[in-house]
Amino acid sequence: MATRLDRLLGITLELMAKKRVTATALADKFEVSVRTVYRDVELINQAGIPVASFTGADGGFELMNGFFLTRQYFSVDDLSVIYSLLKAMEETMGGAVTPAMRKLASLHPGLADEGGQKAVLLGISVPEQERHIVEELFRAIRQSRVVQMAYTSASGSATERSLEPLNLLWEKGVWYLEAYCRRRGAKRYFRVSRIDRLQVLDETFAPRPITDELEPEDLQGIFAHLRFDLSVRIRVLEQFPGECTYQGNCIEVRTVFYKKEYALSVIVSYGTNVDIVSPDELQDDVITYIEAIRRHYAKKREGDAT
DNA sequence: TACAACAACGGGACTTATCG
DNA sequence: CGATAAGTCCCGTTGTTGTA
């Protein structure tokens, strides 16, 4: 089960999920020696996934800036691409048809077809309690089966839902289910860890031709393009891991804020060290926000004076 | 079935680089 | 300087594969 390829992908995903990871931490997580981790990281590099390393205290491995930075989340298909990169790497090690490849094929018989690749993906880097659910969901998606489940929302309310699963998404170490919710009559996202009882029904569904009504991104978040001063570099890198690109003497960040209030509070906290490239509305909102703060304190001062 | 070849992994003892 | 962590070198162990 725990093949080398699994681990290579696992390490890659770990690097994508976290900002910086030490070899010791990876060795611990995948139950191998640090020596092996170094070997693996070198392989990942050779596979075309750039891993940067930093020595000294607070050192570790990082995915290089600019890699995968344009994406907010990864679908199973995206992960499959990474998997293919790593697999190709393994296969080209020392000859055309290596023993490693045959071994791989015997361990994962479905590897030839695309479905098999995905199946392998799901066996790793998923917390134990979620693994089963993710696998079930993945089967349901491939077979277009209707699923029924109990879901506890972020606010704590539990609902029983009937869903047509569309895709599994992986964002920063967390799995989400993209599905058409029959009750709401619209596409919704569900965090896998909050799914309680999952039941894959025999009933199948036909893919709905609704896809291009309104992209959920437009409804759910504000896509923002920000430009930061280098003086706040450290904070920016921490706040927007994996979303930063260096552009000359500034840092550009493309991110999505899911609440306008949150976006405003973050942007304002950077004072004059940030520029909003887009959208323009956000710039107006910030001005309004600051105006409100100014009025708030002006009023207070008047109150104190009387 | 026995044996050689090989790949993957691990351990230890290093060196090098960075930060406080 | 001391702590930390990447990176290197060398070699032993183990499991798998190919072959006689």
Side-chain angles (χ1 to χ4, degrees):
Chain A
M1 194 58 159
T3 67
R4 186 163 159 92
L5 190 56
D6 290 336
R7 202 178 55 242
L8 288 179
L9 186 61
I11 290 174
T12 309
L13 295 183
E14 190 74 9
L15 287 169
M16 281 162 55
K18 294 176 181 161
K19 177 78 189 130
R20 191 177 283 192
V21 189
T22 67
T24 317
L26 288 172
D28 208 49
K29 171 143 192 162
F30 295 98
E31 294 179 318
V32 289
S33 70
V34 285
R35 181 68 191 82
T36 301
V37 171
Y38 287 131
R39 279 194 274 246
D40 285 349
V41 168
E42 201 187 321
L43 275 177
I44 292 170
N45 258 312
Q46 286 174 43
I49 300 170
V51 180
S53 60
F54 300 86
T55 59
D58 280 326
F61 295 109
E62 261 176 41
L63 277 188
M64 259 176 85
N65 277 328
F67 195 68
F68 292 145
L69 297 192
T70 52
R71 300 293 271 281
Q72 276 292 304
Y73 52 76
F74 301 88
S75 73
V76 177
D77 291 309
D78 296 325
L79 296 177
S80 173
V81 170
I82 300 166
Y83 174 87
S84 301
L85 276 176
L86 295 170
K87 186 178 139 210
M89 183 61 227
E90 279 251 319
E91 286 171 5
T92 51
M93 286 290 285
V97 183
T98 63
M101 189 178 168
R102 253 176 291 164
K103 184 174 152 192
L104 211 63
S106 67
L107 276 169
H108 305 297
L111 211 61
D113 65 314
E114 52 172 336
Q117 295 187 4
K118 295 174 185 174
V120 174
L121 276 170
L122 302 175
I124 52 166
S125 276
V126 181
E128 220 29 75
Q129 65 271 25
E130 285 180 41
R131 183 174 301 185
H132 179 66
I133 293 180
V134 170
E135 281 171 359
E136 291 274 293
L137 284 174
F138 185 70
R139 256 222 329 274
I141 290 168
R142 288 191 63 202
Q143 299 173 355
S144 296
R145 295 274 184 104
V146 177
V147 298
Q148 196 153 25
M149 66 186 199
Y151 187 75
T152 310
S153 72
S155 51
S157 55
T159 47
E160 188 77 24
R161 288 162 189 264
S162 185
L163 303 170
E164 300 173 6
L166 301 170
N167 202 359
L168 276 164
L169 304 170
W170 188 85
E171 181 183 346
K172 293 176 185 142
V174 178
W175 281 99
Y176 295 91
L177 171 69
E178 180 185 13
Y180 180 87
C181 178
R182 287 188 161 175
R183 178 188 290 185
R184 306 279 178 198
K187 203 152 73 170
R188 286 283 190 276
Y189 294 89
F190 303 91
R191 198 175 157 135
V192 169
S193 62
R194 289 204 281 262
I195 294 174
D196 208 6
R197 287 188 314 279
L198 180 74
Q199 230 183 335
V200 181
L201 307 180
D202 288 333
E203 183 188 352
T204 58
F205 63 89
R208 288 170 189 271
I210 48 155
T211 38
D212 278 293
E213 37 161 313
L214 256 177
E215 278 302 305
E217 281 83 353
D218 297 329
L219 292 171
Q220 295 201 340
I222 306 163
F223 182 86
H225 183 179
L226 307 172
R227 184 174 293 150
F228 291 90
D229 199 286
L230 275 184
S231 59
V232 290
R233 188 178 90 254
I234 307 293
R235 224 191 112 193
V236 171
L237 288 174
E238 276 177 11
Q239 184 148 28
F240 305 99
E243 296 170 342
C244 310
T245 48
Y246 284 93
Q247 297 284 336
N249 58 347
C250 57
I251 298 177
E252 303 230 325
V253 171
R254 288 161 207 272
T255 189
V256 174
F257 293 107
Y258 293 97
K259 281 220 163 82
K260 188 186 274 183
E261 298 75 44
Y262 178 68
L264 292 175
S265 69
V266 169
I267 291 167
V268 167
S269 74
Y270 282 94
T272 55
N273 291 317
V274 60
D275 277 316
I276 300 167
V277 180
S278 71
D280 291 339
E281 307 90 79
L282 192 54
Q283 186 129 9
D284 297 337
D285 290 334
V286 168
I287 293 170
T288 313
Y289 184 67
I290 298 170
E291 239 335 274
I293 294 173
R294 197 196 63 78
R295 276 202 305 276
H296 173 74
Y297 285 103
K299 201 169 103 193
K300 211 167 218 175
R301 183 170 290 180
E302 277 172 32
D304 289 350
T306 51

